[in-house]
Amino acid sequence: MTDPDERARMSTSFGEQARAYSRGRPDYPAAAVAGLLDADARVVADIGAGTGKLTASLIDAGRTVYAVEPDAEMLDVLKAQLPTVRGLIGTAEQIPLADNAVDALVFGQAWHWVRPDVAATEAARVLRPGGTLGLIWNIRDESVPWVHQLTAIVTASEAELYVAAGVPELGAGFGPLMHKVVRWDRTLTGPQLLAMVASRSAVITATDTDRARILAEVEALAADVSDEDGNIVLPYLTHTYRAESAD
C-alpha cells in the first residue's frame, strides 16, 4: 500500500477524470449485485458512489436510492445520468443520513479507501436493525496472460491489493461476512480501455511523462488483443461481501 498522504491524494483524485471514469469503468454483473441486498430493500444508499456505476443497478420501482459521494464533479456526472437518484455530498466516515434511515448500504470499489472502524460505526448507525452492508469490487482476472501484462503496465491498484490481502475489516456492529465471487467477461473497445486506465488514481496522479508512457503502452496492448471488429474481451472476478447489522 502507498503511504497515508499519497493514499489521501489518490482517493480524492477521481473528479479530475470523472467522464473517463464513467466511460471506461465496468458496470457490475447483475448476479453479484443481487447478492448485496435483499430484493425487498426499499431504501438503499450507495456510499462512494462515484459516477453511479453501482448506483444504476440499485434503481427499482418503489425504491429510494441515495448516492453519497465526496467529489462534487463525480456526483454531477452521476446526477446527470441518474436524475431519480438523490445525490448527497458525504463520506463513509460522515454519512449525511439519519439514524436507522436505510435498509441497505453498499460500497462499490470504495471500502478500501475508508477508515474501517469509523466507517463501520457510521454504517451501523444509518442502517436499520437487521439491515445489510454490501461491499463489491470488480477485479480483473490476471490468470489471463494479456491481463497480467496490462497490470504490469499500470501497476496494481489500491482495490486490487486490498482484495488480494484478504477479508475486509468491519469492526463491531455486524455479523459475519459472506463472500462470493462472480466470474464474467466484459467486451469493450480500445478507447474504453484507455479511458478505464486514465481514470485510475495512480495514473491521474502520475507525472505527465509517466502518464503518457502508460497510456501509449496500453494503447499498443489494446491493438494487439483487439479482434477484427476492434473489440476486447476483458475477464473479471467480482468479489462481493455482505454482512447484517446487529439487531
Side-chain angles (χ1 to χ4, degrees):
M1 294 286 184
T2 50
D3 67 74
D5 289 342
E6 180 65 12
R7 288 191 79 249
R9 186 168 78 98
M10 292 168 68
S11 70
T12 57
S13 68
F14 296 105
E16 297 177 34
Q17 291 289 333
R19 298 194 182 282
Y21 193 107
S22 180
R23 184 170 64 253
R25 294 296 182 109
D27 296 325
Y28 294 89
V33 175
L36 292 179
L37 68 165
D38 294 331
D40 61 356
R42 294 297 85 196
V43 183
V44 179
D46 182 6
I47 312 298
T51 61
K53 287 293 182 177
L54 178 57
T55 318
S57 63
L58 304 173
I59 297 171
D60 195 12
R63 176 181 287 168
T64 298
V65 179
Y66 293 97
V68 177
E69 165 60 37
D71 192 305
E73 292 179 272
M74 299 284 274
L75 194 59
D76 284 346
V77 174
L78 183 152
K79 290 191 289 188
Q81 297 178 149
L82 305 172
T84 64
V85 170
R86 303 183 185 187
L88 301 169
I89 293 290
T91 66
E93 293 83 4
Q94 291 185 305
I95 301 173
L97 294 170
D99 295 357
N100 303 321
V102 302
D103 299 310
L105 281 180
V106 297
F107 289 74
Q109 310 290 125
W111 190 260
H112 58 283
W113 293 120
V114 311
R115 292 170 54 195
D117 53 343
V118 180
T121 299
E122 268 291 86
R125 179 185 67 79
V126 301
L127 277 169
R128 293 170 183 156
T132 58
L133 173 63
L135 316 177
I136 186 169
W137 286 272
N138 281 325
I139 303 296
R140 298 185 310 278
D141 184 357
E142 293 185 3
S143 67
V144 176
W146 84 263
V147 181
H148 182 78
Q149 186 178 351
L150 176 63
T151 299
I153 296 170
V154 301
T155 71
S157 70
E158 292 285 319
E160 291 155 359
L161 293 171
Y162 186 85
V163 172
V167 178
E169 299 177 53
L170 284 191
F174 290 93
L177 275 170
M178 296 179 291
H179 179 212
K180 293 184 179 180
V181 180
V182 174
R183 296 177 179 270
W184 63 289
D185 291 332
R186 179 193 183 195
T187 300
L188 71 168
T189 64
Q192 284 178 303
L193 182 64
L194 280 170
M196 182 186 75
V197 170
S199 75
R200 290 166 65 96
S201 58
V203 177
I204 296 170
T205 58
T207 65
D208 291 344
T209 299
D210 284 344
R211 187 182 310 110
R213 173 188 56 77
I214 291 167
L215 293 176
E217 291 182 14
V218 172
E219 186 173 23
L221 178 61
D224 286 342
V225 299
S226 297
D227 65 19
E228 60 184 12
D229 296 319
N231 293 320
I232 301 167
V233 177
L234 179 52
Y236 277 93
L237 303 173
T238 296
H239 292 255
T240 65
Y241 296 86
R242 171 176 166 160
E244 290 189 1
S245 63
D247 294 334

